[in-house]
Amino acid sequence: MFETLTQKLDTVLHKLRGQGRISETNIAESLREVRLALLDADVNIQVVKDFIDTVQKKSLGQEVITSLSPGQLIVKIIYDELVKLLGTEKEEIQFSTTPPSIIMVVGLQGSGKTTFSGKLANLLKSKGKNPLLVAADTYRPAAIDQLETLGKTIDVPVFTNRKEKPLSIAKQSIDHARSTMRDVVIIDTAGRLAIDEEMMQEVESIKKSVQPDEILFVVDAMIGQDAVTTAKIFNERINFDGVVLTKLDGDTRGGAALSIRSIVQKPIKFIGVGEKLDALELFYPERMASRILGMGDIVSLVEKAQEKVDKEKAEKLEKKLQKSEFTLEDFYDQLQEIKKMGPISQLMGMIPGMSKVQLPSDADEKSFKSVEAIIQSMTLEERQKPNIINGSRRKRIAMGSGTNIQEVNQLLKQFSDMQKLLRNAGKGKNLGKMFAQQFKK
Amino acid sequence: MGFFDALKFSKLKEGLNKTRENLVSSITKLISATGKIDENFLEQLEEIFIRADVGAEATQTIIENIKKKVKEVRYETQEELQTIIREQLASIFVPNKYEEEPLTIPEGIKPYVIMVVGVNGAGKTTTIGKLANRYKEAGKEVFIGAADTFRAAANEQLEVWAQRAGVKIIQQKQGSDPAAVAFDTVQSAQSKNADVVIIDTAGRLHTKTHLMEELKKIKRAIQKSHSTAPHEILLVLDSTTGQNALQQAKLFNEVVGVTGLILTKLDGTAKGGIVFAVSRLINVPVRYIGVGEQMDDLQPFNSKKFVEALFSSSS
């Protein structure tokens, strides 16, 4: 039904194929598609504009690798840029050195503060903390009951005082935590509109009075353009430390994550992914970037792009094989590629030649390490022309690689066997093509 | 005289003024600044719509329509241009049969059964409290069915609203079968000769297939207890929601058949522009808007006034 961004881009950029570089004119149309995709994902329009500018600057002049379509290349640039913007560092909750640590949870109505508070308490409890939940939402009917029920479910005490105002509940809760040996206090505050002056003053005064170690701003991942306005005002008033995105178990693209991150420069610390009390996860920028750009298809695209890069290398290799130019240097490169692909024991059999030359049958990363080390200890010339490696060179290589002469001899023997085999194959059947074929899938 | 003035909504005036300055007056400013339709004008208009969460696709359609219209109809003054744009916007909405009092009970239907659905945190329970209050004040006998048996303390929340409105509430304990609650509510309303039944359902993300199946079951249970019910299925949308509202509307509509929309939390900075696209997508009218947390903060939706809000000046 809906075209994915990649499909759209590929159509737009079809005509780009064969053009050597990304230029201002040939990128314009594709950036319009990117813009639409981001707007559809609810990324704030100002953020979209800035982002597109950055991507354009980064893309201009980039060489279009023959194996990647320009569309894929641009998506890759966008994806990388998105991940960077969403934050690469792992973000954790700040705990106080003198317990109790105080965490305050704030946000708009219906964003999921109470459920999050319960989930956080559950998570901290599983990590050996002794949390205390504090019900300080005295406005919404039955909000206190809701937290009390959640507390019972996860077996975490809930402090409240139905006769008091939120500020005094918060204050009292700290003393209560001290006297009951609770080391983390999670204060669930009432939902409030950013423009509700009275309510914003209240949350400011709670902050001032309890001096939280961490203030978390909870936001519904389905929020639209208003995300920025709201986050900005909350941030100006109470300077929160981190963001929690809730309801990400739906199909929202969650552009708000990007908007908030880029406008208020605060990290996203948790995401809520379900109604169960253990449905709380840490935030992964890569996943979020894929999602904003249109769910899973970007991940597979980037993977495909990677595959193609590998294919390009394999094709180069194929040519070399046909010309019998396969050197130890190529062998080394090949090992690196193979290592990327997964467990070596599974992969060895797939590679024609390799299985016949009998690398250790229990080939694993370790045995590859010594092979790598041996090749690394050779000079460039030795790698190109292994036949110049005489006795003294062998000794040097063995010492340099921390192996022994036998192992060096074994490798050289295996390599020369392999070369012979490849040469024969190159003349007759197109082994090289088979080789390359293996890398396509 | 803007939209919110018409609603006599002055409590958050300060905030709303801010809203107006930032966004709401932008179209008027834009028109007086440029006065004619050119690429630059359309681009800026587009941005205003995007900022209001109208969505990229719907925005393009609206802009295309405006372009077509101004070619057909010559406009002389800025006011005329404004009128053209306004009409184009308002025409997107599916008209309400009774705009002044949207959910007027048709002759001979008793009880009139309303089922309320939506994602978590959209404001279903609050809306139901206000809706019950409206009917109660109109002299109707109202029954509320607490079929959100999932969320912790949902019953308690609804109970508070029922008390405030002075209406009857039918409930079972948390975790019980919501379809059974719905069935019981309609049954007892029938036996007590009540006028209106409002069934609250648990918030659910539209992507959760099993929960959507449950919703079907609730609807079937209502049908079983009253052959023509439910008479109205309202989807509650949070006005801060972005483009995901389209998916919500599409799936809820596919599963239970939505007959009307309620747009909540319009008292904040969010514009709720997504209703343009939603109303167009599933072809149902917007019935009410929620503009606050008080009992009487549920207002009939008026498309002209809603569009007016996008134009109103900051005076």
Side-chain angles (χ1 to χ4, degrees):
Chain A
M1 219 189 98
F2 294 104
E3 267 186 299
T4 66
L5 175 63
T6 319
Q7 283 168 335
K8 277 188 199 165
L9 281 179
D10 270 348
T11 326
V12 171
L13 290 164
H14 190 69
K15 54 189 174 213
L16 244 183
R17 255 172 253 259
Q19 298 186 24
R21 279 171 200 283
I22 295 174
S23 72
E24 209 156 323
T25 38
N26 63 25
I27 202 182
E29 205 175 332
S30 58
L31 287 181
R32 255 197 299 281
E33 291 296 340
V34 175
R35 178 175 176 271
L36 281 180
L38 293 174
L39 287 176
D40 272 345
D42 292 317
V43 180
N44 180 271
I45 190 161
Q46 193 53 51
V47 177
V48 173
K49 281 180 174 172
D50 296 345
F51 183 75
I52 295 282
D53 277 354
T54 316
V55 170
Q56 184 165 16
K57 274 185 203 127
K58 289 239 155 125
S59 310
L60 288 181
Q62 279 260 1
E63 261 182 69
V64 179
I65 310 173
T66 45
S67 59
L68 283 187
S69 73
Q72 289 169 327
L73 184 64
I74 289 171
V75 171
K76 200 173 181 321
I77 295 170
I78 291 162
Y79 174 82
D80 293 343
E81 199 58 30
L82 268 183
V83 173
K84 212 172 87 191
L85 267 178
L86 285 167
T88 41
E89 71 277 38
K90 201 179 163 206
E91 295 288 349
E92 307 224 349
I93 289 214
Q94 304 156 35
F95 290 107
S96 163
T97 44
T98 49
S101 299
I102 299 159
I103 302 170
M104 197 169 141
V105 181
V106 301
L108 294 176
Q109 287 98 336
S111 54
K113 288 173 299 303
T114 306
T115 305
F116 167 73
S117 298
K119 286 178 180 178
L120 183 63
N122 192 36
L123 179 80
L124 294 177
K125 191 183 158 216
S126 74
K127 291 195 167 166
K129 300 267 181 197
N130 291 309
L132 172 71
L133 281 164
V134 180
D137 178 358
T138 54
Y139 302 92
R140 180 164 63 94
I144 293 174
D145 303 290
Q146 187 185 352
L147 197 65
E148 278 179 338
T149 311
L150 291 178
K152 243 176 250 161
T153 318
I154 55 172
D155 197 23
V156 167
V158 176
F159 177 85
T160 193
N161 187 337
R162 287 175 196 262
K163 289 184 199 106
E164 296 284 354
K165 290 232 151 78
L167 178 61
S168 15
I169 296 176
K171 272 191 211 159
Q172 290 167 5
S173 74
I174 312 299
D175 293 333
H176 183 81
R178 282 204 188 97
S179 61
T180 55
M181 305 294 280
R182 295 273 136 187
D183 51 11
V184 187
V185 179
I186 303 169
I187 305 172
D188 176 29
T189 65
R192 62 200 78 221
L193 293 168
I195 51 169
D196 189 338
E197 188 49 38
E198 212 177 299
M199 290 294 279
M200 289 308 278
Q201 270 171 15
E202 180 197 271
V203 78
E204 274 175 326
S205 64
I206 296 177
K207 179 191 171 180
K208 224 166 130 191
S209 147
V210 304
Q211 300 282 333
D213 302 286
E214 177 92 19
I215 303 176
L216 293 171
F217 175 63
V218 178
V219 61
D220 184 331
M222 298 182 283
I223 194 168
Q225 297 287 319
D226 192 50
V228 162
T229 321
T230 304
K232 230 160 120 182
I233 301 176
F234 267 92
N235 194 44
E236 277 161 15
R237 298 296 289 261
I238 54 165
N239 189 23
F240 53 76
D241 302 288
V243 179
V244 179
L245 273 184
T246 60
K247 306 180 203 173
L248 264 170
D249 44 333
D251 56 358
T252 180
R253 305 252 299 271
L258 184 65
S259 307
I260 295 175
R261 175 85 209 201
S262 30
I263 298 278
V264 301
Q265 306 283 330
K266 292 289 165 73
I268 295 155
K269 298 202 173 181
F270 293 102
I271 57 170
V273 289
E275 294 186 68
K276 299 267 156 58
L277 284 160
D278 55 1
L280 186 67
E281 288 179 2
L282 290 172
F283 175 74
Y284 295 99
E286 296 86 3
R287 289 186 203 167
M288 199 66 225
S290 313
R291 190 175 179 135
I292 290 171
L293 285 176
M295 312 304 274
D297 74 314
I298 295 302
V299 175
S300 59
L301 174 91
V302 172
E303 275 165 8
K304 233 189 276 165
Q306 201 53 54
E307 258 172 44
K308 286 200 177 172
V309 170
D310 294 341
K311 190 186 143 203
E312 201 164 86
K313 278 191 184 162
E315 275 165 2
K316 265 188 199 154
L317 189 66
E318 182 188 339
K319 281 193 188 122
K320 285 195 162 185
L321 288 174
Q322 282 167 346
K323 290 185 196 158
S324 307
E325 277 172 2
F326 190 70
T327 65
L328 272 164
E329 184 82 36
D330 297 322
F331 182 54
Y332 181 77
D333 281 350
Q334 216 46 53
L335 286 183
Q336 303 310 312
E337 290 300 319
I338 290 164
K339 270 167 63 189
K340 272 194 259 170
M341 293 170 76
I344 281 149
S345 47
Q346 281 176 31
L347 290 165
M348 286 309 290
M350 287 165 55
I351 304 168
M354 290 287 188
S355 55
K356 293 201 178 136
V357 290
Q358 276 197 358
L359 279 172
S361 59
D362 59 338
D364 57 12
E365 270 77 3
K366 250 188 210 159
S367 59
F368 268 83
K369 271 224 170 82
S370 60
V371 173
E372 272 174 43
I374 292 171
I375 300 178
Q376 277 169 337
S377 300
M378 295 176 184
T379 65
L380 259 182
E381 202 190 359
E382 286 165 352
R383 291 183 211 178
Q384 305 285 349
K385 303 172 200 152
N387 53 347
I388 64 165
I389 304 175
N390 55 25
S392 71
R393 281 179 193 254
R394 279 168 210 233
K395 209 170 160 189
R396 194 205 75 238
I397 292 165
M399 285 194 29
S401 57
T403 56
N404 53 46
I405 296 189
Q406 283 76 29
E407 280 181 77
V408 178
N409 284 338
Q410 200 189 353
L411 174 72
L412 288 172
K413 168 90 172 53
Q414 281 171 348
F415 182 72
S416 99
D417 283 351
M418 191 159 90
Q419 259 189 330
K420 248 181 253 163
L421 190 97
L422 291 172
R423 209 169 296 145
N424 292 337
K427 277 176 199 154
K429 300 209 177 62
N430 199 343
L431 184 66
K433 195 151 223 161
M434 283 165 62
F435 198 114
Q437 209 77 37
Q438 295 298 335
F439 277 86
K440 276 185 195 160
K441 185 63 217 158
Chain B
M1 245 304 272
F3 175 47
F4 293 101
D5 297 333
L7 298 175
K8 297 186 184 72
F9 192 75
S10 56
K11 192 172 58 183
L12 297 176
K13 194 142 193 182
E14 196 188 331
L16 290 172
N17 280 340
K18 192 186 251 169
T19 309
R20 284 205 197 105
E21 281 161 32
N22 290 349
L23 302 161
V24 164
S25 65
S26 6
I27 298 180
T28 313
K29 271 193 202 148
L30 177 61
I31 289 173
S32 24
T34 59
K36 62 175 195 298
I37 294 204
D38 55 15
E39 278 307 309
N40 181 38
F41 174 86
L42 292 172
E43 207 169 280
Q44 287 184 56
L45 194 60
E46 182 190 72
E47 190 173 325
I48 292 166
F49 290 150
I50 297 277
R51 279 189 196 275
D53 282 320
V54 173
E57 209 198 322
T59 296
Q60 277 178 345
T61 313
I62 295 169
I63 300 250
E64 284 311 311
N65 288 348
I66 291 172
K67 269 201 223 165
K68 240 186 262 162
K69 199 78 195 167
V70 288
K71 264 186 201 155
E72 285 167 22
V73 196
R74 288 286 161 102
Y75 64 92
E76 302 276 320
T77 62
Q78 287 177 10
E79 284 70 35
E80 282 172 12
L81 175 57
Q82 274 202 31
T83 311
I84 291 172
I85 298 174
R86 228 178 277 182
E87 281 170 0
Q88 282 305 313
L89 283 171
S91 70
I92 290 171
F93 289 109
V94 177
N96 249 317
K97 199 172 168 196
Y98 312 96
E99 195 155 76
E100 288 312 309
E101 194 49 63
L103 300 181
T104 297
I105 303 169
E107 282 289 316
I109 291 182
K110 203 172 190 183
Y112 184 63
V113 183
I114 302 168
M115 181 176 167
V116 181
V117 301
V119 298
N120 318 60
K124 286 176 296 303
T125 306
T126 307
T127 299
I128 287 167
K130 295 175 187 172
L131 195 58
N133 186 53
R134 271 190 98 88
Y135 281 118
K136 178 81 187 174
E137 289 200 327
K140 306 286 180 198
E141 173 89 24
V142 185
F143 271 57
I144 293 178
D148 177 357
T149 57
F150 180 80
R151 184 166 61 95
N155 273 4
E156 285 84 345
Q157 187 185 351
L158 197 60
E159 219 178 313
V160 173
W161 280 107
Q163 271 167 16
R164 284 184 193 167
V167 303
K168 186 122 172 86
I169 178 169
I170 305 291
Q171 53 182 319
Q172 290 174 14
K173 62 176 189 299
Q174 197 191 338
S176 55
D177 180 12
V181 177
F183 185 84
D184 283 358
T185 311
V186 181
Q187 289 285 302
S188 30
Q190 269 175 318
S191 69
K192 296 274 160 52
N193 205 26
D195 303 292
V196 182
V197 172
I198 308 173
I199 306 287
D200 188 16
T201 62
R204 65 201 72 218
L205 288 177
H206 47 289
T207 48
K208 305 266 160 105
T209 323
H210 61 293
L211 292 178
M212 293 306 270
E213 283 304 313
E214 183 195 84
L215 211 52
K216 264 189 200 164
K217 195 179 155 203
I218 298 174
K219 188 184 172 185
R220 277 199 303 271
I222 295 172
Q223 280 166 336
K224 219 178 268 175
S225 60
H226 189 303
S227 60
T228 61
H231 306 96
E232 183 82 18
I233 297 175
L234 294 174
L235 173 66
V236 178
L237 288 178
D238 181 333
S239 61
T240 60
T241 309
Q243 302 309 303
N244 192 249
L246 287 170
Q247 282 301 105
Q248 293 175 20
K250 185 172 164 267
L251 290 174
F252 274 104
N253 191 40
E254 274 169 18
V255 171
V256 287
V258 173
T259 59
L261 301 169
I262 292 186
L263 190 62
T264 60
K265 309 183 198 172
L266 259 177
D267 44 336
T269 45
K271 301 275 99 40
I274 192 64
V275 282
F276 284 103
V278 170
S279 181
R280 206 167 64 112
L281 178 74
I282 61 170
N283 200 33
V284 299
V286 186
R287 307 289 198 194
Y288 291 99
I289 54 167
V291 292
E293 291 180 82
Q294 299 308 311
M295 239 344 174
D296 53 358
D297 291 336
L298 186 73
Q299 308 279 349
F301 174 80
N302 179 312
S303 58
K304 286 190 195 74
K305 282 182 189 165
F306 186 79
V307 171
E308 195 84 28
L310 294 170
F311 283 87
S312 68
S313 66
S314 52
S315 62

